[in-house]
Each structure stands twice: as structure tokens, then as C-alpha cells.
Amino acid sequence: MNLENYSSYSSEFVHGSIDGLVTTFAVINGAIGAHLSLKSVLILGLVNVIADGFTIAAGKYLSAKAEVDTLKKEGKVRSVSPLNSAIVIFISFAISGLIPLIPLFIRYYNEGNVKAGDVTNEYTVIMYLITALALYGIGWLRGKMTGDDPHTTAREVALIGGGAAILALFVGRTLQVWRH
């Protein structure tokens, strides 16, 4: 498959995917750090995926529309549709935002609503691992879409997105002291 045909939307894909993955990861870690029940963690994660995904798509649509309107006034043409940009960023956000939730949904299915404070276990470790792998995969796809070396772009996205995820984890763990 030649992903370079989709390069005009590579920015939206990368932005939506990383933002969906990292913000959902951050919300989940904050909720786990606050010792919320598994059901509460899942609800907060899903709310983040839907509400934040819509918000980022709306923002992309409005900013792209403003750019198109400005270019039209200057007599220039832009080939990327604001609506398509919004759709790509929303879908990218939503799909990647669900990735860190998958192990927790599996645990909920297998064990039910785990009480507050007992959410962290091997499912959480799996969540960290698949989040890291997903960041690498997003970077690899970015390289394929833009014609750049996929391994270089994969490492770049994994490092930058991983840094943001680690920051989110650190902040969530640090702020857990507020629950007392």
C-alpha cells in the first residue's frame, strides 16, 4: 500500500494519533493515581476519547477553514479540505485513544469492577507497553506517508510522545497526594 497518497493529511494523522494516545494515557494514569475504581478509570478514558477527540476535530476544522478563507482572499488555493482534516484528526485521535484502554477493558471483562486502589497490575504494564509500541507505529506510518525513513520517524515520535507520556505519568503520580 502506498501511504504517500495520504501525505496531505499526515499532519492531522500524527497530531490526532499522538494526542489521542497520550491524553488518554494521561487521564488513565491520573485516575489510577487517584485510586479510582476500574469502572471510573474506563469511564474517564472513554469520555476523554469522545469529548477531547471532538474538540480537537472542531478546532482543526475551524483553523483550517480560517486558513482556506485567508488564502482565498489572497488569491491562493489550498487542496486540503477543512472537513476532511477534521475527520482525519478525529478518527486518528479516537482510534489511538482507545489503545491504552484495551487492557483495562479486558481486565474489566475478566474481573469486573476492581475496587479503588487495586487497578494497577499486569494489565497496567501491558497498557504501558502497547502505548509505547503504538507511538512507534504512529511514527513508522508517518514516515511511510511522508516518504521519510520510517524507522527514523518512528524513533522520533516514540521519543517525543514517550516523553509526553512519561510527563503525564509523573504528574498523575505526583498529584495523587491530593486524594488524602
Coordinates of all heavy atoms in Angstrom, one line a residue, residues 74-129:
E74 N -6.4 36.0 -0.6 CA -5.1 36.3 -1.2 C -4.9 35.8 -2.6 O -3.9 35.9 -3.2 CB -3.9 35.8 -0.3 CG -3.9 36.4 1.0 CD -2.9 35.7 2.0 OE1 -2.3 34.7 1.6 OE2 -2.7 36.2 3.1
G75 N -6.0 35.1 -3.1 CA -5.9 34.5 -4.5 C -5.2 33.2 -4.6 O -4.8 32.8 -5.6
K76 N -4.9 32.6 -3.4 CA -4.2 31.3 -3.4 C -5.2 30.2 -3.2 O -6.3 30.4 -2.7 CB -3.2 31.3 -2.3 CG -2.1 32.4 -2.5 CD -1.2 32.4 -1.3 CE -0.2 33.6 -1.4 NZ 0.6 33.7 -0.3
V77 N -4.8 29.0 -3.5 CA -5.7 27.8 -3.4 C -5.0 26.8 -2.4 O -3.8 26.6 -2.4 CB -5.9 27.1 -4.8 CG1 -6.8 25.9 -4.6 CG2 -6.5 28.1 -5.8
R78 N -5.9 26.2 -1.6 CA -5.4 25.1 -0.7 C -6.1 23.8 -1.1 O -7.4 23.8 -1.1 CB -5.7 25.5 0.8 CG -5.1 24.5 1.7 CD -5.2 25.0 3.2 NE -4.5 24.2 4.1 CZ -5.1 23.3 4.9 NH1 -6.4 23.2 4.9 NH2 -4.4 22.6 5.7
S79 N -5.4 22.7 -1.2 CA -6.0 21.5 -1.7 C -6.6 20.6 -0.6 O -7.3 19.7 -0.9 CB -5.0 20.7 -2.5 OG -3.9 20.3 -1.6
V80 N -6.3 20.9 0.7 CA -6.8 20.1 1.8 C -8.1 20.7 2.3 O -8.2 21.8 2.6 CB -5.7 20.0 2.9 CG1 -6.3 19.2 4.1 CG2 -4.5 19.4 2.4
S81 N -9.1 19.8 2.4 CA -10.4 20.2 2.9 C -10.5 20.3 4.4 O -10.0 19.4 5.1 CB -11.5 19.2 2.4 OG -12.6 19.2 3.2
P82 N -11.0 21.4 4.9 CA -11.1 21.6 6.4 C -12.0 20.4 7.0 O -11.6 19.9 8.1 CB -11.8 22.9 6.6 CG -11.5 23.7 5.4 CD -11.4 22.7 4.3
L83 N -13.0 20.0 6.3 CA -13.8 18.9 6.9 C -13.1 17.6 6.9 O -13.1 16.9 7.8 CB -15.1 18.8 6.0 CG -16.1 17.7 6.5 CD1 -16.5 17.9 8.0 CD2 -17.3 17.6 5.6
N84 N -12.4 17.3 5.8 CA -11.6 16.1 5.7 C -10.5 16.1 6.8 O -10.2 15.1 7.4 CB -10.9 15.9 4.3 CG -12.0 15.5 3.3 OD1 -13.1 15.1 3.7 ND2 -11.6 15.6 2.1
S85 N -9.8 17.3 7.0 CA -8.8 17.4 8.0 C -9.4 17.1 9.4 O -8.8 16.4 10.2 CB -8.2 18.8 8.0 OG -7.5 19.1 6.8
A86 N -10.6 17.6 9.7 CA -11.2 17.4 10.9 C -11.6 15.9 11.1 O -11.4 15.3 12.2 CB -12.5 18.2 11.1
I87 N -12.1 15.3 10.1 CA -12.4 13.9 10.1 C -11.2 13.0 10.4 O -11.2 12.1 11.2 CB -13.2 13.4 8.8 CG1 -14.5 14.1 8.8 CG2 -13.2 11.9 8.8 CD1 -15.3 13.9 7.5
V88 N -10.1 13.3 9.7 CA -8.8 12.5 9.9 C -8.3 12.7 11.3 O -7.9 11.7 11.9 CB -7.8 12.9 8.8 CG1 -6.4 12.4 9.2 CG2 -8.2 12.5 7.4
I89 N -8.3 13.9 11.8 CA -7.8 14.1 13.1 C -8.7 13.4 14.2 O -8.2 12.9 15.1 CB -7.5 15.6 13.4 CG1 -6.4 15.8 14.5 CG2 -8.8 16.3 13.9 CD1 -5.9 17.2 14.6
F90 N -10.0 13.5 14.0 CA -10.9 12.8 14.9 C -10.7 11.3 14.9 O -10.6 10.7 16.0 CB -12.4 13.2 14.7 CG -13.3 12.4 15.6 CD1 -13.5 12.9 16.9 CD2 -14.0 11.3 15.2 CE1 -14.3 12.2 17.8 CE2 -14.8 10.6 16.1 CZ -15.0 11.1 17.4
I91 N -10.7 10.7 13.8 CA -10.6 9.3 13.7 C -9.2 8.8 14.2 O -9.1 7.8 15.0 CB -10.8 8.8 12.2 CG1 -12.3 9.0 11.8 CG2 -10.4 7.3 12.0 CD1 -12.5 8.7 10.3
S92 N -8.2 9.5 13.9 CA -6.8 9.2 14.4 C -6.8 9.3 15.9 O -6.3 8.4 16.6 CB -5.8 10.2 13.8 OG -5.7 10.1 12.4
F93 N -7.4 10.4 16.5 CA -7.5 10.6 17.9 C -8.3 9.4 18.6 O -7.8 8.9 19.5 CB -8.1 11.9 18.2 CG -8.1 12.3 19.7 CD1 -7.2 13.2 20.2 CD2 -9.1 11.7 20.6 CE1 -7.2 13.5 21.5 CE2 -9.0 12.0 21.9 CZ -8.1 13.0 22.4
A94 N -9.4 9.1 18.0 CA -10.3 8.1 18.7 C -9.7 6.7 18.6 O -9.7 6.0 19.7 CB -11.7 8.1 18.0
I95 N -9.1 6.3 17.5 CA -8.6 5.0 17.4 C -7.4 4.9 18.4 O -7.3 3.9 19.1 CB -8.2 4.7 16.0 CG1 -9.4 4.5 15.1 CG2 -7.3 3.4 15.9 CD1 -9.2 4.4 13.6
S96 N -6.5 5.8 18.3 CA -5.3 5.7 19.1 C -5.6 6.0 20.6 O -5.0 5.4 21.5 CB -4.2 6.7 18.7 OG -4.6 8.1 18.9
G97 N -6.6 6.8 20.9 CA -7.1 7.0 22.3 C -7.6 5.7 22.9 O -7.6 5.6 24.2
L98 N -8.2 4.8 22.1 CA -8.7 3.6 22.7 C -7.6 2.6 23.0 O -7.8 1.7 23.8 CB -9.7 2.9 21.7 CG -11.0 3.7 21.5 CD1 -11.8 3.1 20.4 CD2 -11.8 3.7 22.8
I99 N -6.4 2.7 22.4 CA -5.3 1.7 22.6 C -5.0 1.5 24.1 O -4.9 0.4 24.5 CB -4.1 2.1 21.7 CG1 -4.5 1.9 20.3 CG2 -2.9 1.3 22.1 CD1 -3.4 2.4 19.3
P100 N -4.7 2.6 24.9 CA -4.4 2.3 26.3 C -5.5 1.8 27.1 O -5.3 1.2 28.2 CB -3.9 3.7 26.8 CG -4.1 4.7 25.7 CD -4.6 4.0 24.5
L101 N -6.7 1.9 26.6 CA -7.9 1.4 27.3 C -8.1 -0.1 27.1 O -8.8 -0.8 28.0 CB -9.2 2.1 26.9 CG -9.3 3.6 27.4 CD1 -10.4 4.3 26.6 CD2 -9.5 3.6 28.9
I102 N -7.6 -0.7 26.1 CA -7.8 -2.1 25.7 C -7.5 -3.0 26.9 O -8.4 -3.9 27.2 CB -7.1 -2.5 24.4 CG1 -7.8 -1.7 23.2 CG2 -7.2 -4.0 24.2 CD1 -7.0 -1.8 21.9
P103 N -6.3 -3.0 27.5 CA -6.0 -3.9 28.5 C -6.9 -3.8 29.8 O -7.3 -4.7 30.4 CB -4.6 -3.7 28.9 CG -4.0 -2.8 27.9 CD -5.1 -2.2 27.1
L104 N -7.3 -2.5 30.0 CA -8.2 -2.3 31.1 C -9.6 -2.8 30.9 O -10.3 -3.3 31.8 CB -8.2 -0.8 31.5 CG -6.9 -0.2 31.8 CD1 -7.0 1.3 32.1 CD2 -6.2 -0.9 33.0
F105 N -10.1 -2.7 29.6 CA -11.4 -3.3 29.3 C -11.3 -4.8 29.4 O -12.3 -5.4 29.9 CB -11.8 -2.9 27.8 CG -12.5 -1.6 27.7 CD1 -12.0 -0.6 27.1 CD2 -13.8 -1.5 28.3 CE1 -12.7 0.6 27.0 CE2 -14.5 -0.3 28.2 CZ -13.9 0.8 27.5
I106 N -10.2 -5.4 29.0 CA -10.1 -6.8 29.2 C -10.1 -7.2 30.6 O -10.8 -8.2 31.0 CB -8.8 -7.3 28.5 CG1 -8.9 -7.2 27.0 CG2 -8.5 -8.8 28.8 CD1 -7.6 -7.3 26.2
R107 N -9.4 -6.5 31.5 CA -9.5 -6.8 32.9 C -10.9 -6.6 33.4 O -11.4 -7.4 34.2 CB -8.5 -5.9 33.7 CG -8.5 -6.2 35.1 CD -7.4 -5.6 35.9 NE -7.4 -6.2 37.3 CZ -6.9 -5.6 38.3 NH1 -6.3 -4.4 38.2 NH2 -6.9 -6.1 39.5
Y108 N -11.6 -5.6 33.0 CA -13.0 -5.4 33.5 C -13.8 -6.5 33.1 O -14.7 -7.0 33.9 CB -13.5 -4.0 33.0 CG -14.9 -3.7 33.5 CD1 -15.0 -3.1 34.8 CD2 -16.0 -3.9 32.8 CE1 -16.2 -2.8 35.3 CE2 -17.3 -3.6 33.3 CZ -17.4 -3.0 34.5 OH -18.6 -2.7 35.1
Y109 N -13.7 -7.0 31.8 CA -14.4 -8.1 31.3 C -14.1 -9.4 32.2 O -15.0 -10.1 32.5 CB -14.1 -8.3 29.9 CG -14.9 -9.5 29.3 CD1 -16.2 -9.4 28.9 CD2 -14.2 -10.7 29.1 CE1 -16.9 -10.5 28.4 CE2 -14.9 -11.8 28.6 CZ -16.2 -11.7 28.2 OH -16.9 -12.8 27.7
N110 N -12.9 -9.6 32.5 CA -12.5 -10.8 33.2 C -12.8 -10.8 34.7 O -13.1 -11.8 35.3 CB -11.0 -11.1 33.0 CG -10.6 -11.5 31.6 OD1 -11.5 -12.0 30.9 ND2 -9.4 -11.2 31.2
E111 N -12.6 -9.6 35.3 CA -12.7 -9.5 36.8 C -13.8 -8.6 37.3 O -14.0 -8.5 38.5 CB -11.3 -9.0 37.3 CG -10.2 -9.9 37.0 CD -8.8 -9.4 37.4 OE1 -8.8 -8.6 38.4 OE2 -7.8 -9.7 36.8
G112 N -14.4 -7.8 36.5 CA -15.5 -6.9 36.9 C -14.8 -5.6 37.5 O -13.7 -5.3 37.2
N113 N -15.6 -4.9 38.2 CA -15.2 -3.6 38.7 C -14.3 -3.7 39.9 O -14.7 -4.1 41.0 CB -16.4 -2.7 39.1 CG -16.0 -1.3 39.4 OD1 -15.0 -0.8 38.8 ND2 -16.8 -0.6 40.2
V114 N -13.0 -3.6 39.7 CA -12.0 -3.7 40.7 C -12.1 -2.5 41.6 O -12.3 -1.3 41.1 CB -10.6 -3.8 40.1 CG1 -9.5 -3.9 41.2 CG2 -10.5 -5.0 39.1
K115 N -12.0 -2.7 42.9 CA -12.2 -1.6 43.8 C -11.0 -0.6 43.7 O -10.0 -0.8 43.2 CB -12.3 -2.1 45.3 CG -11.0 -2.7 45.8 CD -11.2 -3.3 47.2 CE -9.9 -3.9 47.7 NZ -10.0 -4.3 49.0
A116 N -11.3 0.6 44.3 CA -10.3 1.7 44.3 C -9.0 1.2 44.9 O -9.0 0.6 45.9 CB -10.8 2.9 45.0
G117 N -7.9 1.6 44.2 CA -6.6 1.3 44.7 C -6.0 0.0 44.2 O -4.9 -0.3 44.4
D118 N -6.9 -0.9 43.6 CA -6.4 -2.2 43.1 C -6.4 -2.3 41.6 O -6.4 -3.4 41.0 CB -7.4 -3.3 43.7 CG -7.2 -3.5 45.1 OD1 -6.2 -3.2 45.7 OD2 -8.2 -4.0 45.7
V119 N -6.3 -1.2 40.9 CA -6.4 -1.1 39.5 C -5.0 -1.5 38.9 O -5.0 -2.2 37.9 CB -6.8 0.2 39.0 CG1 -6.7 0.3 37.5 CG2 -8.2 0.5 39.4
T120 N -3.9 -1.1 39.5 CA -2.6 -1.4 39.0 C -2.2 -2.9 39.1 O -2.3 -3.4 40.2 CB -1.6 -0.5 39.7 OG1 -2.0 0.8 39.6 CG2 -0.2 -0.6 39.0
N121 N -1.8 -3.5 38.0 CA -1.3 -4.8 37.9 C -0.7 -5.1 36.6 O -0.4 -4.1 35.9 CB -2.4 -5.9 38.3 CG -3.5 -6.0 37.3 OD1 -3.5 -5.3 36.3 ND2 -4.4 -6.9 37.5
E122 N -0.7 -6.3 36.2 CA 0.0 -6.7 34.9 C -0.8 -6.0 33.7 O -0.2 -5.7 32.7 CB 0.1 -8.2 34.7 CG -1.2 -8.9 34.6 CD -1.8 -9.3 35.9 OE1 -1.3 -9.0 37.0 OE2 -2.9 -10.0 35.9
Y123 N -2.1 -5.7 33.8 CA -2.8 -5.1 32.8 C -2.3 -3.7 32.6 O -2.3 -3.1 31.4 CB -4.3 -5.0 33.1 CG -5.0 -6.4 33.0 CD1 -5.1 -7.2 34.1 CD2 -5.4 -6.9 31.8 CE1 -5.7 -8.4 34.1 CE2 -6.0 -8.2 31.7 CZ -6.2 -8.9 32.8 OH -6.8 -10.1 32.8
T124 N -1.9 -3.0 33.6 CA -1.3 -1.7 33.5 C 0.0 -1.7 32.8 O 0.3 -0.8 32.0 CB -1.2 -1.0 34.9 OG1 -2.5 -1.2 35.6 CG2 -0.9 0.4 34.9
V125 N 0.8 -2.7 33.2 CA 2.1 -2.9 32.5 C 1.9 -3.1 31.0 O 2.6 -2.5 30.2 CB 2.9 -4.0 33.1 CG1 4.2 -4.3 32.3 CG2 3.2 -3.7 34.6
I126 N 0.9 -3.9 30.6 CA 0.6 -4.1 29.2 C 0.1 -2.8 28.6 O 0.5 -2.5 27.4 CB -0.5 -5.2 29.1 CG1 0.1 -6.6 29.5 CG2 -1.0 -5.3 27.6 CD1 -1.0 -7.7 29.7
M127 N -0.6 -2.0 29.3 CA -1.1 -0.7 28.8 C 0.2 0.2 28.5 O 0.2 0.8 27.4 CB -1.9 0.0 29.8 CG -2.4 1.4 29.4 SD -3.3 2.4 30.6 CE -2.0 2.7 31.8
Y128 N 1.2 0.2 29.3 CA 2.4 1.0 29.1 C 3.1 0.4 27.8 O 3.6 1.2 27.0 CB 3.3 0.9 30.3 CG 2.8 1.5 31.5 CD1 3.2 1.1 32.8 CD2 1.9 2.6 31.5 CE1 2.8 1.6 33.9 CE2 1.4 3.2 32.7 CZ 1.9 2.7 33.9 OH 1.4 3.2 35.1
L129 N 3.2 -0.9 27.7 CA 3.9 -1.5 26.6 C 3.2 -1.2 25.2 O 3.8 -0.8 24.3 CB 4.1 -3.0 26.8 CG 5.0 -3.4 27.9 CD1 5.0 -4.9 28.1 CD2 6.4 -2.9 27.6

